[in-house]
Amino acid sequence: MGRTVPSVTQVFYQEEQALNRFRRALRRSDQQVLDELLSYTRQHLAAATYATHVLPMELFFLAMLLEEHKIVIALRQRLERLEHKQDD
Amino acid sequence: MINNEAWLLDVFEDLQCPGLVLWFLTSDGQRLRLTQPFPVTFYVAGKSAQLREAWKFLKEQPAQPKLSRQSKKDIFLTETIDVLAVEVNAPGLLPRLFRSMLNRFPNLTYYDADIKLPIRHAARFNSFPACYCALQYDESGFLHTIEVQNTPWDLDPVYPTLRVIELEPDCDPFRAEPRFLLVKVDGKQYRLSLFKKRPLLITLQALLKKYDPDLLLTRWGDTWLLPWLSNLAEDLQLPLWLNREKTRHYIQRPERSYFSYGQIMYNGQQIHLFGRWHIDRQNAMFWRDFGLDGILEMARVTALPVQQAARSSPGTGISTMQILTALRNDILVPWHKQQAEQPKTALDLIQADLGGLVYQPWIGLHRDVGAIDFISMYPAIMVRCNISPETGKPGLLETSPEPQGLIPKTLAPLLEKRVNLKQRLASLPRWHPNRKLDAARSSAHKWLLVTCFGYLGYKNARFGRIEAHEAVTASGREALLRAKETAEDAGFQVLHMYVDGLWVQQPGKNQPEDFTELLSEIASRTGLSIALDGVYRWVAFLPSRADERVPVPNRYFGVFQDRSLKVRGLEARRRDTSPWVTRLQMDLLEYLALAEDAADLPLYLPGAIAILRQHLSDLRLGRVPLEDLLMAYRLTRPPQEYKVKTAGARAASQLAEIGKELRPGQRVRLLYLRGGQVRAWDLPQPPNPQTIDRARYIDLALRAAASVFYPLGLPEQDLRDWLKGGIQLAFDFALNSQTQHILLPPFQEEVAWQTIPSRIRLPQWNG
C-alpha cells in the first residue's frame, strides 16, 4: 500500500534482493549458509522496526550476530557439560 | 392532542409537505405514521466578497432559503469562523440547492451539506433506530413533541416485537431459474409457484396486507427478488405493497466493488423500502458474523437507519457516529476535508510512520502458555490519551489535561458498553440464552472500534489526521513493550507478540489465577485494561510455507484448558479451502486436542494418521460429494484483465461465456478437473465426478495435514512417504527444547483407529 517510508520488512526484502548477485556467485554450500544468516535477521524484524534506525541494514547484521552468539553460548554450555562429565 | 409511547421504525422525507415522515410502532402494537416539520441547514465559508455574491444567488433560488450570518467552530481551526447559514424548510430541496451552489461557487468551503436526514434527526432529538419515545401528536398525525426515553448505551434495551415476513426463492437465481417462492410468516410456510404469476402476486399482496410486516427478510431480495416482483406487478398491473408508505417507490442503489483492508470487496445492488425494513441476508455485510441482533445493535449505536446499517461497512458506521458527535457539540462537519498533511522531515517519517509491532513467534510446540490481550487497545488508547484531530500530541500512554476531543467523546460510551458486555458475557454460564445476543452485539462493537482507528489515518475521512493515527500506534508499541517487560520481570518467557496480544509461558503456571497478578501489573504500568484470552494446554506456532526456517506471525493452533481449539492462519480458516480439506484438518486437530498433556501427543499420532487415511480413501472411492470439493476464489479484477490466467480467472471466464458476469470482489466457486482443467460450479451442468483431479485434492489434503503434523516433528515429505507405504515412521518430537526420538511401527494405526471417538470417525457430510 502507498507508504511514504518503506517499512523495515520492505527494506529487508530490498536488501535481500540486492544481495542476489553476491549470492549467485557463492558456492552452493555457502549460499545455504547465507540464507540461514538472513533467516536470523527475519526473526528480529519487529525489534528493528521499533528501533527506527536510519540505516536498518546495520541492525540486520546485528541480528545475525545475535543469533550466531546464541548458538555459540549454547555450544559453549554443551561443551562445558561434556567436559564436566568426562572429569567425573 | 394524543399522548403515546412508541418505538421509532423509520424516518424519511415527506413528499407531500415540507418536513419528515416518521413511522412508529406503538407500545400497544399499532403502526403509526406521523409527520414533523424539519428545517435543515448547511453552512458556507469563504472570502466575504464571494459570500456576498453567494447570498445574492441564494436569494433568487426557488427553494427560498433563510439566510443568516453565524459564528461556528471548524475542528481543524483554533478560532471560530464566520459562516453563511442556509436554512431550507423542505429537507428534500437541500441536495439540489447545494449542488447548484457548488456548481456556481466551487471554491467556497461547505459544511453540513451532505448529512442524511435520519442523522440530522438523531442529532436534534437524540433519536436512533428502534428508540423508545414519548410522543405528543394531533388527530391529523402532526407530531408536536418527541422525547426519546432510552439511549443506545443501555445494556438491555427493550426491543419492539417485530412482524417479519421471510421471502426466499427455492434456489440461487444466479445459478438456476427459481421455480418457487418460499414465504415464512407467523409460523406458517407457503410455497408459491413463480410461473403462476397472477396468483403469486395476489397471494403475496394478501399476505402483505394481512400481516403488514415491519421487516421483510429475504435472500437475494436486493439483487433479484424485489425488483423482479415489482416489475411483474407493473407488467400485470396488480398492486404489490412492498413499502408501508404506499405512495413511494423503493430506492435502488447500484452494485459496487471497492478496496478495503488490502482486499477487493463486492457489494450487490440494494433495495431500500419506506416505512418497513428490507434486509437481504445474502447482501447484508455482517449477517454471517452477527445476524439481526448485531445489525440492530449496529443501527442503534451508529444511528444509521437499519436498512443501511445492514449493508454498510463499519467504516460508514463509525464516521456517522463522529458526525453525530460533531453535530451535537456544534462543530461543523466539513463536506470535503481541506486540511492537507503537515510537511515532515525524513527522520520524522522514519520515526512515526510505523504500525503495530508484529514479532516472529518461536516455531514449534509449547506447553502451558497464557495468551493475554489488551481489550480494544487502539480505541482505549484514543480515549485514555485523548487522541483526536484537534487535540495536542500526547506523551506515550499519558493522559491529557485538554478537554475531551471529538474522537474520544464518540468512542468512550461505545468502549464502555463493549467492556461491560464482555465482562457480563464472561460471567454468564454457557447455556444462558443471553449469551448469543451479547456476543452478537459485542462483535458489532468490535468492528466499529477496529475501524475507528483506520479512519483516523485515512486522508479523506472527515475527522482524520495522520498525526493522530501515528500517536495511537506509538502508544500501542509502548504498551506492548511495557507488557513484555512486565512479563519478563515476573519470570515469564515471551513466546510471541502481536500488536495487542502476548503469549507468555512459565513452567508450572497453567491456571487462570496464575496470570492475575501479571495482568494487574501490566494494567497499572500501561493504564490500559488487559485480559486473559485463555491458558493453552499446548500451542504450536508454524513456520512459513515457503521457508520452514522463517516463522510467520499468525499461523498457529492450540488447545485451551477447557479443550476448545483456537486455529489461526491454517488452511481450515481460509475461505478458499474446500470443505472437505477443512473438515479433514479440523478432525485431525480435534483428535489431537484429546491429549491431556502435550507430552502425550506422539501417542495420538497413529490415530491421527488413521483419520487422514480414512479421508483419503473416501476421496479415492468417490464418497466425497462434489460440493465438498469446491474451491472459492475471490476475483481481484475482471477475468479478462488477468495476465496470468489463475484458476479463478479461468472459471470466471467460463461463466462470462454463458453471460454470467462476475465483478471484482465476488467469489467464483470451482472444481479442479484432470489435465489441469478447472470448471466453474455455477455452470448449468455439474461435471462428471470421474473427471475430478483427485491427485490435486490429495495433494491439498496432505498439505493441510502436514501443517498439523509439522509441530509434532513430522516433516511433510516423511508423511507423504509414510502414506505411500513406509515400513517404519521415525521422527524427533520436540517439546520445551527437549527432543525425543520416536519410532512408530505400522500396526499402531489399526489399534488407534479402534479407540477414536465416533464423532471424528464418522465423516459429517452436511455440506
Side-chain angles (χ1 to χ4, degrees):
Chain A
M1 278 190 274
R3 300 184 56 128
T4 321
V5 182
S7 70
V8 164
T9 314
Q10 281 168 323
V11 173
F12 173 73
Y13 286 117
Q14 283 161 12
E15 297 284 6
E16 205 180 18
Q17 285 285 314
L19 286 176
N20 259 350
R21 289 178 67 87
F22 174 65
R23 184 180 182 281
R24 188 178 171 205
L26 291 177
R27 286 190 183 79
R28 180 65 53 87
S29 54
D30 290 344
Q31 283 178 357
Q32 284 164 359
V33 178
L34 178 67
D35 290 348
E36 202 158 326
L37 282 176
L38 287 168
S39 82
Y40 292 160
T41 298
R42 236 178 288 194
Q43 294 175 33
H44 298 285
L45 287 181
T49 301
Y50 181 75
T52 58
H53 207 290
V54 180
L55 298 173
M57 193 63 185
E58 293 182 356
L59 296 177
F60 298 164
F61 291 137
L62 205 57
M64 291 175 192
L65 266 179
L66 194 143
E67 286 297 316
E68 275 295 306
H69 196 62
K70 265 160 82 176
I71 296 171
V72 171
I73 292 172
L75 289 175
R76 193 192 287 156
Q77 283 169 347
R78 204 166 145 194
L79 189 66
E80 275 164 15
R81 267 202 308 275
L82 286 173
E83 282 172 347
H84 201 67
K85 242 189 221 165
Q86 239 168 21
D87 293 345
D88 287 344
Chain B
M1 196 67 68
I2 305 166
N3 286 309
N4 210 340
E5 298 202 334
W7 287 277
L8 177 65
L9 288 182
D10 207 359
V11 182
F12 49 88
E13 176 206 346
D14 191 350
L15 294 183
Q16 269 87 44
C17 57
L20 298 177
V21 174
L22 298 108
W23 275 98
F24 291 96
L25 202 170
T26 63
S27 46
D28 55 353
Q30 292 175 50
R31 273 66 184 167
L32 188 65
R33 179 187 189 270
L34 300 176
T35 56
Q36 185 183 26
F38 195 73
V40 290
T41 313
F42 70 93
Y43 302 92
V44 193
K47 294 214 176 77
S48 31
Q50 249 189 329
L51 282 183
R52 266 196 300 277
E53 231 174 281
W55 189 298
K56 273 186 224 148
F57 172 80
L58 286 163
K59 275 286 171 208
E60 289 158 15
Q61 296 303 305
Q64 293 290 315
K66 214 161 84 188
L67 304 176
S68 58
R69 195 179 141 164
Q70 294 183 12
S71 193
K72 289 269 178 185
K73 172 117 189 72
D74 177 326
I75 202 162
F76 292 100
L77 307 172
T78 41
E79 306 288 316
T80 54
I81 52 169
D82 282 341
V83 288
L84 167 62
V86 186
E87 187 185 298
V88 192
N89 247 340
L93 295 178
L94 187 140
R96 191 182 291 170
L97 184 67
F98 167 59
R99 284 282 147 198
S100 58
M101 272 286 283
L102 194 62
N103 276 336
R104 183 73 189 273
F105 305 100
N107 295 327
L108 290 173
T109 312
Y110 295 89
Y111 298 99
D112 291 16
D114 57 345
I115 297 168
K116 298 272 180 332
L117 282 176
I119 311 305
R120 288 183 189 269
H121 195 267
R124 202 169 309 167
F125 297 102
N126 289 325
S127 63
F128 52 89
C131 64
Y132 195 64
C133 343
L135 308 172
Q136 211 174 38
Y137 52 96
D138 59 28
E139 276 73 14
S140 60
F142 187 82
L143 182 63
H144 288 267
T145 61
I146 171 170
E147 264 176 47
V148 176
Q149 309 280 306
N150 54 357
T151 76
W153 315 118
D154 302 337
L155 277 194
D156 292 294
V158 187
Y159 280 119
T161 314
L162 297 173
R163 291 199 294 248
V164 185
I165 291 191
E166 287 182 47
L167 298 175
E168 177 179 336
D170 62 343
C171 66
D172 179 350
F174 297 97
R175 192 165 142 61
E177 195 186 356
R179 292 175 304 145
F180 292 96
L181 178 66
L182 312 174
V183 185
K184 259 193 242 170
V185 57
D186 197 22
K188 297 188 204 57
Q189 285 203 32
Y190 303 86
R191 204 172 135 90
L192 311 175
S193 166
L194 291 171
F195 299 116
K196 295 175 186 154
K197 294 180 173 144
R198 197 165 275 273
L200 167 76
L201 285 179
I202 293 170
T203 318
L204 208 55
Q205 170 71 355
L207 288 172
L208 285 170
K209 254 173 112 169
K210 180 175 174 198
Y211 292 103
D212 184 21
D214 306 301
L215 169 63
L216 274 187
L217 188 59
T218 66
R219 292 180 73 188
W220 301 288
D222 275 345
T223 44
W224 181 77
L225 182 62
L226 294 198
W228 186 83
L229 285 172
S230 169
N231 288 340
L232 193 64
E234 227 163 83
D235 289 350
L236 299 179
Q237 303 202 325
L238 284 171
L240 183 66
W241 295 345
L242 291 174
N243 286 305
R244 188 173 261 153
E245 182 85 3
K246 298 186 189 68
T247 54
R248 300 288 296 252
H249 195 60
Y250 56 72
I251 292 183
Q252 187 164 346
R253 299 205 171 147
E255 61 181 351
R256 65 188 189 119
S257 298
Y258 61 99
F259 190 74
S260 165
Y261 286 85
Q263 277 186 325
I264 298 277
M265 308 290 279
Y266 173 80
N267 212 339
Q269 144 187 306
Q270 308 179 359
I271 303 293
H272 294 232
L273 302 179
F274 289 94
R276 173 177 291 155
W277 304 334
H278 169 227
I279 296 178
D280 178 348
R281 287 162 51 181
Q282 295 299 118
N283 208 13
M285 196 161 274
F286 289 106
W287 182 271
R288 208 186 312 230
D289 292 342
F290 48 72
L292 186 60
D293 294 323
I295 288 173
L296 274 178
E297 179 68 13
M298 188 82 130
R300 290 171 65 93
V301 299
T302 60
L304 275 175
V306 172
Q307 305 190 72
Q308 236 182 307
R311 295 168 175 91
S312 36
S313 65
T316 314
I318 200 75
S319 41
T320 307
M321 290 176 75
Q322 294 171 1
I323 289 173
L324 207 52
T325 312
L327 291 175
R328 285 183 180 150
N329 292 281
D330 207 17
I331 293 167
L332 293 169
V333 179
W335 171 65
H336 266 182
K337 204 179 81 171
Q338 303 284 324
Q339 278 64 30
E341 194 178 334
Q342 300 281 327
K344 285 195 182 75
T345 65
L347 196 65
D348 282 344
L349 274 173
I350 287 174
Q351 282 167 0
D353 189 16
L354 303 172
L357 288 180
V358 176
Y359 276 74
Q360 312 291 328
W362 287 353
I363 300 178
L365 192 62
H366 308 276
R367 156 206 273 170
D368 296 340
V369 177
I372 57 181
D373 284 327
F374 284 100
I375 300 172
S376 297
M377 182 198 237
Y378 285 169
I381 289 173
M382 289 182 236
V383 172
R384 180 183 161 82
C385 309
N386 198 14
I387 296 176
S388 195
E390 78 277 26
T391 55
K393 191 179 167 191
L396 290 174
L397 290 173
E398 276 164 24
T399 52
S400 132
E402 285 179 76
Q404 197 176 35
L406 179 107
I407 304 286
K409 216 177 242 169
T410 310
L411 287 181
L414 185 63
L415 191 61
E416 190 188 347
K417 187 174 184 184
R418 174 167 157 82
V419 171
N420 287 340
L421 269 182
K422 273 197 94 167
Q423 278 167 355
R424 189 165 82 172
L425 201 58
S427 66
L428 287 180
R430 270 179 181 271
W431 48 265
H432 202 282
N434 275 358
R435 271 189 79 95
K436 224 183 110 216
L437 178 66
D438 281 3
R441 286 156 62 200
S442 140
S443 79
H445 300 157
K446 177 182 177 155
W447 280 105
L448 288 170
L449 290 168
V450 165
T451 336
C452 180
F453 161 68
Y455 266 62
L456 264 184
Y458 175 42
K459 83 177 163 57
N460 293 332
R462 294 188 224 221
F463 298 108
R465 188 174 147 194
I466 193 70
E467 290 81 6
H469 184 92
E470 290 166 356
V472 174
T473 56
S475 278
R477 294 189 293 272
E478 178 67 19
L480 194 70
L481 287 191
R482 284 192 200 171
K484 173 188 83 86
E485 287 154 5
T486 315
E488 284 168 346
D489 288 350
F492 287 91
Q493 260 195 334
V494 178
L495 297 180
H496 187 28
M497 291 193 277
Y498 193 103
V499 186
D500 60 351
L502 297 95
W503 282 257
V504 296
Q505 181 190 45
Q506 187 170 162
K509 303 227 167 181
N510 54 19
Q511 295 305 313
E513 4 356 322
D514 296 336
F515 296 86
T516 322
E517 209 175 308
L518 174 66
L519 293 178
S520 58
E521 182 58 27
I522 294 176
S524 83
R525 285 200 204 175
T526 58
L528 303 174
S529 14
I530 187 159
L532 182 71
D533 187 33
V535 182
Y536 287 100
R537 272 185 194 177
W538 51 267
V539 60
F541 293 110
L542 298 177
S544 136
R545 279 214 64 90
D547 182 347
E548 66 174 48
R549 284 174 308 211
V550 179
V552 283
N554 215 10
R555 222 164 102 81
Y556 64 90
F557 58 88
V559 180
F560 286 114
Q561 292 288 358
D562 67 356
R563 289 229 170 113
S564 60
L565 270 168
K566 182 154 182 171
V567 182
R568 288 291 178 271
L570 252 61
E571 287 77 358
R573 291 281 301 203
R574 296 181 54 97
R575 282 180 63 188
D576 56 7
T577 305
S578 63
W580 175 66
V581 171
T582 302
R583 190 64 245 158
L584 181 158
Q585 199 174 40
M586 289 312 292
D587 279 352
L588 294 177
L589 289 170
E590 277 168 27
Y591 178 66
L592 293 182
L594 298 175
E596 287 287 331
D597 186 335
D600 297 340
L601 278 171
L603 301 177
Y604 285 78
L605 195 70
I609 293 181
I611 292 170
L612 173 60
R613 277 191 206 274
Q614 184 62 37
H615 278 282
L616 295 179
S617 93
D618 282 342
L619 181 78
R620 288 200 189 93
L621 297 172
R623 276 192 261 159
V624 182
L626 290 185
E627 288 92 329
D628 286 330
L629 295 176
L630 285 179
M631 318 290 291
Y633 293 113
R634 196 196 292 273
L635 295 178
T636 52
R637 61 194 78 184
Q640 64 277 9
E641 282 178 25
Y642 278 86
K643 288 200 190 81
V644 181
K645 295 286 176 199
T646 61
R650 282 184 286 157
S653 314
Q654 291 172 359
L655 289 175
E657 271 170 35
I658 59 157
K660 290 182 179 173
E661 294 282 348
L662 289 176
R663 296 302 175 105
Q666 281 187 298
R667 281 180 184 273
V668 55
R669 293 182 296 171
L670 60 90
L671 288 168
Y672 287 118
L673 303 186
R674 269 185 280 182
Q677 303 284 308
V678 299
R679 187 183 170 86
W681 181 244
D682 291 337
L683 289 172
Q685 293 299 317
N688 179 357
Q690 295 301 317
T691 57
I692 293 295
D693 188 350
R694 294 212 182 108
R696 175 105 195 213
Y697 283 99
I698 287 177
D699 183 63
L700 291 169
L702 289 180
R703 266 205 225 180
S707 301
V708 177
F709 291 129
Y710 177 86
L712 305 189
L714 185 59
E716 181 165 342
Q717 200 48 52
D718 290 15
L719 177 69
R720 286 174 188 267
D721 293 345
W722 173 242
L723 288 169
K724 272 187 207 138
I727 299 162
Q728 198 166 42
L729 191 58
F731 61 96
D732 289 324
F733 175 70
L735 178 64
N736 294 359
S737 65
Q738 279 165 21
T739 309
Q740 188 186 350
H741 192 72
I742 290 173
L743 282 174
L744 287 177
F747 63 83
Q748 280 198 357
E749 273 181 40
E750 292 291 324
V751 179
W753 180 247
Q754 303 308 321
T755 65
I756 292 171
S758 57
R759 93 188 137 80
I760 294 175
R761 254 175 84 167
L762 298 171
Q764 295 151 358
W765 300 127
N766 46 17

